Amino acid sequence: MAAPVTHYENFPVASLLCPPHLRQPIAALYAFARTADDMADEGDATPAQRLADLTAYRAELARVAAGQPPAAPWAAVFGPLQAVLRQHQLPVPLLDDLLSAFIQDVEKTRDAQGYTDRAELLDYCRRSANPIGRLLLHLYGVTGAQALQESDAICTALQLINFWQDLSVDIPRGRHYLPHADCARHGAGPADLQALRSTPDNARLVADCARWARTSMQSGAPLVHRLPGRAGWELRLVVQGGLRILDKVDALQGGSLHTRPKLHAWDWCLMLGRALAM
């Protein structure tokens, strides 16, 4: 059995809306990705230790995918994942893409590097977020090209939304996702961004990046009508959760540089209403 979801998320994960027979497979995928993400992000490990752990985790994925029994210290993650891989024939390269993105996160933070432009950041999203949507579509038995394209748009949007939501947390930790080209276009100086100052230039930069994420989410939203039954309804809440965070980012007018917007109970009521209207 996969561990229950305990982290704060902007959207439901393996909720009651999820088809019952897929809750455990989805929880197993979530545990795999969350464990690796925490390995890259949490605690006070050095970059060298994080990279060593992620490399070992990546090797364990290859072992388990080849049929070897899960080994310590991640048997609780890879045991349920191996069962899902066997039962559903999941594409292992998608899982490996996720790990390559987490490794890139550590390397860029270590080297104090950001992203040159949107194309470079989108390549990161292609590996850090889009595989999750494609894995879920595989579980749902949805394979159409249009559905895959819409899934990528939603997942990329969710990743971008997470970036703009977490500016106040990521920048002090040395993680810079605002593309340099966008910063230059809006006149947003690195000193002000590093100091988390809500200047007019920074506010325009954040607003533009939020519009980018919203456009991506809206382009993928028709996917909710392609997924069967409960899966489509859960995706409606995923989409609305992301859009609601963008509402909060917009309302802060650049203030997300120092204040992290979060969803509260009343937001979920609003999201449910908007989901019903999709």
Side-chain angles (χ1 to χ4, degrees):
M1 297 287 287
V5 175
T6 57
H7 283 69
Y8 165 87
E9 301 290 354
N10 293 329
F11 46 83
V13 178
S15 73
L16 292 177
L17 286 175
C18 177
H21 71 286
L22 293 181
R23 287 177 197 155
Q24 272 299 308
I26 290 172
L29 288 173
Y30 177 85
F32 167 81
R34 173 51 66 187
T35 300
D37 195 12
D38 287 349
M39 210 177 296
D41 274 349
E42 302 300 328
D44 54 5
T46 65
Q49 184 59 56
R50 295 183 192 279
L51 291 173
D53 288 344
L54 285 167
T55 298
Y57 196 76
R58 198 174 191 180
E60 183 67 2
L61 170 64
R63 284 185 66 259
V64 167
Q68 297 298 314
W74 301 299
V77 171
F78 283 103
L81 181 68
Q82 187 177 58
V84 175
L85 291 176
R86 288 172 173 168
Q87 182 179 358
H88 296 278
Q89 299 297 303
L90 291 179
V92 176
L94 292 176
L95 297 169
D96 191 70
D97 279 346
L98 290 172
L99 300 185
S100 76
F102 296 140
I103 289 171
Q104 178 175 306
D105 258 340
V106 176
E107 292 173 337
K108 277 192 172 283
T109 302
R110 176 197 62 194
D111 300 335
Q113 291 183 342
Y115 287 81
T116 302
D117 51 27
R118 292 188 178 188
E120 187 183 9
L121 191 58
L122 286 174
D123 177 69
Y124 171 80
C125 294
R126 178 186 61 79
R127 291 174 288 117
S128 70
N130 296 5
I132 295 295
R134 288 180 172 243
L135 287 163
L136 292 177
L137 289 187
H138 184 93
L139 289 174
Y140 296 144
V142 176
T143 59
Q146 186 66 31
L148 290 171
Q149 181 179 336
E150 290 167 349
S151 172
D152 287 348
I154 289 174
C155 291
T156 289
L158 289 171
Q159 181 70 89
L160 294 175
I161 291 165
N162 184 249
F163 291 155
W164 316 147
Q165 177 186 22
D166 285 351
L167 290 171
S168 64
V169 177
D170 284 340
I171 292 176
R173 297 169 74 178
R175 294 199 164 183
H176 303 282
Y177 296 106
L178 292 161
H180 298 322
D182 289 72
C183 294
R185 185 168 65 254
H186 290 284
D192 284 334
L193 289 171
Q194 191 64 43
L196 307 178
R197 296 192 187 100
S198 298
T199 68
D201 291 336
N202 289 349
R204 286 192 294 272
L205 168 64
V206 174
D208 190 24
C209 287
R211 281 193 296 273
W212 174 26
R214 190 179 294 273
T215 298
S216 182
M217 183 67 84
Q218 290 170 338
S219 71
L223 181 62
V224 304
H225 301 293
R226 301 183 193 276
L227 296 189
R230 293 182 177 186
W233 285 104
E234 184 169 55
L235 184 59
R236 283 169 168 82
L237 286 175
V238 170
V239 169
Q240 292 303 328
L243 293 175
R244 185 60 183 149
I245 287 293
L246 287 177
D247 292 342
K248 290 173 176 279
V249 169
D250 289 340
L252 287 169
Q253 298 182 320
S256 56
L257 280 166
H258 52 73
T259 301
R260 184 179 187 272
K262 291 181 66 173
L263 297 177
H264 301 283
W266 59 87
D267 292 306
W268 286 88
C269 295
L270 179 61
M271 289 157 49
L272 178 59
R274 290 177 174 178
L276 291 170
M278 290 181 76

